[in-house]
């Protein structure tokens, strides 16, 4: 009897050793960070006094009386966003201009001194009430910078800012996230001082006290920015996280732009990233951008490069002057949501037989990756930091998407993995990358459609034993990207599509192209002002892309660059956004001779589009026949280096001089990828 008892105890101890919960590896997320990650996609709303003054960064001197939406409807926003799959909304309650969208007691520069509802409006309340009604979470953005406040730069303003946070966290909510922006100090109105003020952002705002105020009323609220964050910026406003993307980072190095987009494998804190990007070029509404809503294909690409790269997606909607999300924006986001749902509505692994090379016991078997339970997972034995999962299909199956999730409560572990397919009796690599790297909360790998009898995931390296809680695979329909239209300095128009089977149809008369329109084959010459539109049509299915449109103004053949006398200046007009002409502080202007008098009404400037480019023009002056006609700043160009369009009342003249006054990072050089005039 004693012998039998010893045998039972022996096997019990072995079973216990094999099935114990894996030890956490490195920093792990809090419960709040995990729940935040599960939101995946949510919306930003930029709406305020900038909307009514056609600005991105207001200077702080626009009268409160200019804020006057006529049909403001926060419920329309929320219903639109909920139908598009968004789980939450963050409102810009105060941008850098200092105008407050709630009736604050801290300043007269607020909604209470606007015509909206005769000064009795409260937009923060309207939106928070709408979110509560329709089941969306609510968050608030309050810029630390205030270009209106006369006390900015003093301790008095910091106290004012903390009081604003107290008001917003006491009277509205619950809040799931609070946003501190990173733009701090610079030129501003400052109550009429009209000057530049600098502060030390790390210490000036007393972020610890600010976060204590927030967490006093909303202990689970995530904090973006500042000095006590619980999530980090992804490092760009283009909508992508690096494919190698860790949720951990070295806290003392979190301001390093080179690390924000990748995180750190050996980071000392769990600080997952948030990818913020706008559905239009700008963050606030501008009528001139009505035709520049991101295409469905672009938005889908953003989703896969954010959520699919272990980062949450914060997608911005610039609410229009009427106080509603525009019809076109609404239609586009619904189209996007439909594609995402259809891409991943049929998990082709659900009927497969799954096996693994190693597992730590029945409780952690390979079958856990298919059981639809987020809190169960396949795990290898301690000391086994590599392994394989093999999915055996009932019949040959076509795939082009694989989703993998790690059980992040135990840390982010996987460092390297690869995908293989079994077909015709042998294993072949799936052509994605040489080696895939991180997974984290969620990783979605896209590839060309391939057929297979089995799918194999080989985990080649991990920081500890493997902990994988979900694997899914799909075969999504092809989605055509809209063509890219360019004109070079020889006036040759080229139209390109990244879709191999696509036929390009185009028009040059401003009409919308269709399958009966001209077919593009080779570059063609257009030496006049013209609007080119194009679509890509799949030759097999007949499906077409969204319409791309490009307005070309005065061609280079009709003007002469008088200064600088440098052959490299052609790079500004070659239609290639990856080539640049470089200005410097002693050669910081260009002069264009139009050869005849024309009505000049604006210009377009495209900054350097190469990755990690940081030589952008921040302020400018434009002269026509030596007369200054426009000067200003390119707001937020460092973080959002999109094409800058400046328009003004037409000025008749022949010689146009563009002067770059300042550059990003206090540099002495700025790059121009493309430059063109607007004539009327």
């Amino acid at each position: 009897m004693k012998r039998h008892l010893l045998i039972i105890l022996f096997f019990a101890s072995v079973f216990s050793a094999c099935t114990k919960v894996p030890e956490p590896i490195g920093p792990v997320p809090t419960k709040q960070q995990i729940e935040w990650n599960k939101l995946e996609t949510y919306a930003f709303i930029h709406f305020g006094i900038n909307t009514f003054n056609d600005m991105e960064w207001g200077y702080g001197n626009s009268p409160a009386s200019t804020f006057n939406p006529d049909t403001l409807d926060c419920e329309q926003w929320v219903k639109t966003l909920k139908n598009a799959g968004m789980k939450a909304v963050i409102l810009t309650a105060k941008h850098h201009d200092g105008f407050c969208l709630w009736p604050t007691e801290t300043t007269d520069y607020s909604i209470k001194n606007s015509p909206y509802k005769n000064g009795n409006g409260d937009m923060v309340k309207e939106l928070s009430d709408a979110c509560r009604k329709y089941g969306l979470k609510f968050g608030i953005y309050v810029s630390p910078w205030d270009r209106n406040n006369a006390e900015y730069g003093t301790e008095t303003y910091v106290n004012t800012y903390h009081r604003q946070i107290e008001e917003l966290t006491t009277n509205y909510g619950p809040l799931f996230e609070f946003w501190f922006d990173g733009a701090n100090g610079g030129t501003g109105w400052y109550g009429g001082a009209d000057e530049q003020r600098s502060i030390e952002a790390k210490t000036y705002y007393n972020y610890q006290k600010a976060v204590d105020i927030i967490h006093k009323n909303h202990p689970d609220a995530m904090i973006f920015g500042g000095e006590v964050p619980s999530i980090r910026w992804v490092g760009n406003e283009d909508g992508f996280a690096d494919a190698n993307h860790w949720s951990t980072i070295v806290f003392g190095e979190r301001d390093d732009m080179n690390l924000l987009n990748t995180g750190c494998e050996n980071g000392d804190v769990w600080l997952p990233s948030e990818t913020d990007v706008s559905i239009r070029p700008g963050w606030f509404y501008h009528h001139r951008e009505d035709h520049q809503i991101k295409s469905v294909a672009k938005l889908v690409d953003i989703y896969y490069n954010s959520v699919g790269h272990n980062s949450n997606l914060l997608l911005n909607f610039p609410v229009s002057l009427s106080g509603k999300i525009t019809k076109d924006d609404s239609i586009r986001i619904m189209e996007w949501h439909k594609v995402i749902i259809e891409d991943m509505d049929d998990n082709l692994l659900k009927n497969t037989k799954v096996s693994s090379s190693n597992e730590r016991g029945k409780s952690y078997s390979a079958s856990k990756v298919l059981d639809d339970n987020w809190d169960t997972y396949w795990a290898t034995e301690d000391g086994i930091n590599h392994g394989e999962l093999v999915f055996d299909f009932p019949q040959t199956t076509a795939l082009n998407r694989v989703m993998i999730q790690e059980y992040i409560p135990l840390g982010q572990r996987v460092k390297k993995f690869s995908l293989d397919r079994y077909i015709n009796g042998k294993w072949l690599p799936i052509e994605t990358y040489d080696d895939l790297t991180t997974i984290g909360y969620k990783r979605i790998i896209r590839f060309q459609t391939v057929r297979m009898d089995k799918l194999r995931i080989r985990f080649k390296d991990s920081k500890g034993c493997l902990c994988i809680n979900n694997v899914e695979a799909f075969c999504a329909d092809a989605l055509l990207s809209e063509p890219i239209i360019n004109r070079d300095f020889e006036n040759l128009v080229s139209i390109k599509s990244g879709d191999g089977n696509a036929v390009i149809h185009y028009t040059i008369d401003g009409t919308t192209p269709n399958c009966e329109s001209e077919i593009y084959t080779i570059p063609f010459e257009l030496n006049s002002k013209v609007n080119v539109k194009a679509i890509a049509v799949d030759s097999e299915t007949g499906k077409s892309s969204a319409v791309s449109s490009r307005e070309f103004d005065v061609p280079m053949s009709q003007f002469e660059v008088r200064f600088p006398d440098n052959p490299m200046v052609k790079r500004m007009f070659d239609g290639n956004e990856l080539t640049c002409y470089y200005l410097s502080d002693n050669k910081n202007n260009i002069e264009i001779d139009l050869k005849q008098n024309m009505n000049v009404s604006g210009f377009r400037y495209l900054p350097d589009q190469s990755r990690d480019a940081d030589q952008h023009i921040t302020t400018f002056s434009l002269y026509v026949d030596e007369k200054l006609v426009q000067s200003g700043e390119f707001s937020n160009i460092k973080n959002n280096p999109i094409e800058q369009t400046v328009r003004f009342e037409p000025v008749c003249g022949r010689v146009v001089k563009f002067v770059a006054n300042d550059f990003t990072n206090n540099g002495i050089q700025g790059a121009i990828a493309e430059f063109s005039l607007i004539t009327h």
Side-chain angles (χ1 to χ4, degrees):
M1 187 73 176
K2 184 176 181 181
R3 181 183 176 190
H4 289 166
L5 180 59
L6 289 173
I7 292 172
I8 291 171
L9 290 173
F10 170 76
F11 281 108
S13 65
V14 171
F15 180 78
S16 175
C18 291
T19 59
K20 69 176 182 179
V21 176
E23 292 293 328
I25 296 290
V28 297
T30 64
K31 175 176 68 71
Q32 291 85 355
Q33 287 172 321
I34 292 170
E35 292 306 309
W36 171 85
N37 248 147
K38 291 180 179 180
L39 293 175
E40 297 191 2
T41 59
Y42 39 95
F44 223 167
I45 293 288
H46 275 65
F47 184 68
I49 203 161
N50 286 348
T51 308
F52 297 89
N53 291 275
D54 200 21
M55 294 180 178
E56 280 290 292
W57 285 9
Y59 197 66
N61 59 349
S62 299
S65 59
T66 60
F67 180 82
N68 190 22
D70 50 12
T71 56
L72 179 67
D73 187 353
C74 290
E75 288 198 11
Q76 184 256 357
W77 308 354
V78 172
K79 286 187 288 187
T80 298
L81 300 172
K82 183 173 183 177
N83 289 336
M86 300 288 168
K87 304 298 192 304
V89 183
I90 298 175
L91 173 69
T92 52
K94 185 191 83 169
H95 205 253
H96 314 321
D97 51 75
F99 186 79
C100 298
L101 295 180
W102 76 102
T104 177
E105 297 297 322
T106 64
T107 177
D108 290 333
Y109 198 50
S110 79
I111 198 170
K112 67 184 179 184
N113 287 311
S114 76
Y116 179 62
K117 292 189 173 180
N118 296 317
N120 296 312
D122 186 342
M123 262 194 54
V124 179
K125 184 177 188 305
E126 289 183 46
L127 184 54
S128 62
D129 287 350
C131 286
R132 192 176 300 111
K133 179 177 179 179
Y134 293 99
L136 267 61
K137 295 182 181 296
F138 180 58
I140 286 177
Y141 163 118
V142 186
S143 173
W145 189 17
D146 193 320
R147 301 174 95 176
N148 171 268
N149 196 292
E151 305 296 335
Y152 183 81
T154 70
E155 184 63 27
T156 301
Y157 171 74
V158 178
N159 294 332
T160 296
Y161 186 55
H162 289 172
R163 285 170 57 203
Q164 291 175 349
I165 295 172
E166 183 79 54
E167 289 178 351
L168 289 167
T169 56
T170 301
N171 300 323
Y172 313 94
L175 302 180
F176 88 100
E177 184 172 325
F178 196 99
W179 240 76
F180 297 112
D181 205 320
N184 292 289
T187 58
W189 182 242
Y190 303 127
D194 192 16
E195 62 188 15
Q196 177 153 343
R197 295 182 181 178
S198 300
I199 51 92
E200 173 48 58
K202 289 181 180 294
T203 57
Y204 174 60
Y205 298 109
N206 193 346
Y207 277 118
Q208 183 61 63
K209 181 178 179 181
V211 171
D212 288 343
I213 294 171
I214 297 165
H215 281 163
K216 178 181 66 177
N217 296 312
H218 308 279
D220 294 336
M222 301 294 285
I223 306 298
F224 179 99
E227 292 301 300
V228 199
S230 48
I231 52 179
R232 75 176 193 265
W233 183 42
V234 80
N236 64 75
E237 295 179 354
D238 298 323
F240 73 91
D242 197 89
N244 179 48
H245 200 78
W246 293 92
S247 292
T248 53
I249 199 166
V250 177
F251 193 74
E253 300 176 6
R254 69 190 185 281
D255 294 330
D256 186 337
M257 295 295 290
N258 295 319
L259 297 180
L260 287 171
N261 200 243
T262 61
C264 303
E265 176 185 331
N266 297 311
D268 56 15
V269 64
W270 188 277
L271 204 66
S273 74
E274 182 176 77
T275 300
D276 58 319
V277 62
S278 184
I279 195 171
R280 291 167 174 247
W283 292 89
F284 285 92
Y285 176 81
H286 309 285
H287 175 67
R288 63 181 179 274
E289 295 178 354
D290 282 349
H291 68 293
Q292 293 180 287
I293 305 167
K294 287 182 173 62
S295 68
V296 174
K298 178 62 177 176
L299 290 170
V300 168
D301 197 49
I302 285 172
Y303 173 84
Y304 282 115
N305 285 313
S306 55
V307 176
H309 282 177
N310 187 39
S311 180
N312 276 19
L313 172 59
L314 176 58
L315 183 60
N316 178 67
F317 293 83
V319 172
S320 69
L321 280 74
S322 68
K324 294 180 180 178
I325 295 175
T326 71
K327 178 181 177 181
D328 289 340
D329 287 13
S330 299
I331 291 172
R332 185 60 46 84
I333 199 61
M334 296 304 174
E335 293 172 336
W336 166 80
H337 181 55
K338 183 174 183 288
V339 170
I340 297 299
I341 292 298
E342 291 179 350
D343 273 8
M344 292 179 285
D345 70 343
D346 184 14
N347 177 13
L348 298 173
L349 298 185
K350 61 187 176 185
N351 295 320
T352 62
K353 181 179 179 181
V354 59
S355 59
S356 65
S357 58
N358 178 275
E359 57 189 45
R360 66 195 292 126
K362 186 176 181 180
S363 298
Y364 302 97
S365 67
S367 64
K368 301 302 179 183
V369 302
L370 298 178
D371 66 2
D372 292 327
N373 186 340
W374 195 82
D375 287 309
T376 62
Y377 49 95
W378 165 62
T380 55
E381 297 173 286
D382 288 338
I384 305 298
N385 66 345
H386 58 276
E388 297 180 0
L389 287 173
V390 176
F391 302 86
D392 194 343
F393 294 97
Q395 62 274 327
T396 302
T397 302
L399 294 182
N400 54 28
R401 305 278 192 279
V402 171
M403 177 199 296
I404 310 174
Q405 294 183 270
E406 286 188 89
Y407 190 62
I408 59 172
L410 298 177
Q412 188 175 350
R413 298 162 178 256
V414 175
K415 297 162 63 175
K416 185 186 295 185
F417 69 102
S418 63
L419 304 178
D420 305 304
R421 63 186 178 114
Y422 189 79
I423 190 74
N424 297 328
K426 58 182 179 181
W427 286 105
L428 299 172
I430 293 176
E431 300 298 333
T432 51
Y433 308 88
D434 292 337
D435 263 319
L436 298 149
T437 52
T438 56
I439 294 174
Y441 167 74
K442 179 173 284 189
R443 179 69 186 276
I444 305 173
I445 306 99
R446 291 180 291 172
F447 45 89
Q448 292 294 320
T449 303
V450 289
R451 297 177 66 79
M452 64 191 73
D453 298 320
K454 298 178 185 180
L455 168 69
R456 180 172 68 184
I457 307 175
R458 286 188 290 162
F459 299 94
K460 298 178 177 181
D461 194 12
S462 176
K463 296 171 73 173
C465 69
L466 298 165
C467 296
I468 306 297
N469 67 337
N470 186 43
V471 181
E472 300 178 30
F474 313 92
C475 190
D477 290 338
L479 183 64
L480 293 172
S481 301
E482 73 274 23
I484 298 172
I485 307 169
N486 283 311
R487 184 172 70 178
D488 65 17
F489 52 80
E490 294 180 338
N491 302 328
L492 289 177
V493 174
S494 61
I495 311 176
K496 297 180 181 180
S497 172
D499 305 295
N501 294 325
V503 176
I504 297 172
H505 296 266
Y506 71 95
T507 61
I508 60 173
D509 59 1
T511 60
T512 301
N514 55 41
C515 293
E516 303 300 319
S517 302
E518 190 79 21
I519 295 177
Y520 172 81
T521 54
I522 60 174
F524 55 93
E525 185 177 3
L526 283 178
N527 57 5
S528 61
K529 296 175 62 173
V530 68
N531 184 5
V532 181
K533 295 185 178 182
I535 57 171
V537 180
D538 189 285
S539 58
E540 296 180 359
T541 65
K543 290 184 177 180
S544 62
S545 71
V547 177
S548 57
S549 177
R550 189 72 182 270
E551 292 183 4
F552 297 111
D553 209 279
V554 182
M556 191 173 181
S557 60
Q558 295 183 19
F559 64 81
E560 175 187 357
V561 179
R562 298 200 331 191
F563 181 84
D565 183 14
N566 186 328
M568 294 296 101
V569 78
K570 288 185 177 181
R571 291 180 175 180
M572 293 189 293
F573 312 101
D574 65 1
N576 185 348
E577 63 183 25
L578 297 180
T579 62
C580 297
Y581 180 77
Y582 292 92
L583 301 169
S584 62
D585 59 350
N586 60 345
K587 294 182 179 179
N588 65 340
N589 64 84
I590 56 174
E591 288 188 18
I592 295 175
D593 184 353
L594 295 172
K595 299 182 180 179
Q596 61 178 316
N597 283 338
M598 291 188 182
N599 286 319
V600 180
S601 56
F603 68 90
R604 294 184 177 92
Y605 154 56
L606 181 71
D608 186 354
Q609 297 299 291
S610 59
R611 191 161 184 185
D612 300 325
D614 62 358
Q615 297 176 313
H616 307 318
I617 301 166
T618 56
T619 65
F620 71 91
S621 300
L622 189 95
Y623 299 81
V624 176
D625 290 346
E626 299 300 325
K627 177 184 177 182
L628 177 66
V629 296
Q630 190 76 15
S631 62
E633 67 177 356
F634 300 124
S635 302
N636 201 30
I637 196 170
K638 180 177 180 179
N639 298 324
N640 196 24
I642 60 174
E643 183 178 70
Q644 309 291 313
T645 301
V646 176
R647 296 179 186 270
F648 43 81
E649 289 297 314
V651 177
C652 186
R654 171 171 171 166
V655 178
V656 178
K657 181 169 72 172
F658 173 81
V659 181
N661 298 318
D662 299 290
F663 309 106
T664 50
N665 302 321
N666 296 315
I668 60 173
Q669 188 176 58
I672 300 179
E674 292 293 309
F675 187 88
S676 62
L677 295 175
I678 301 171
T679 61
H680 176 70

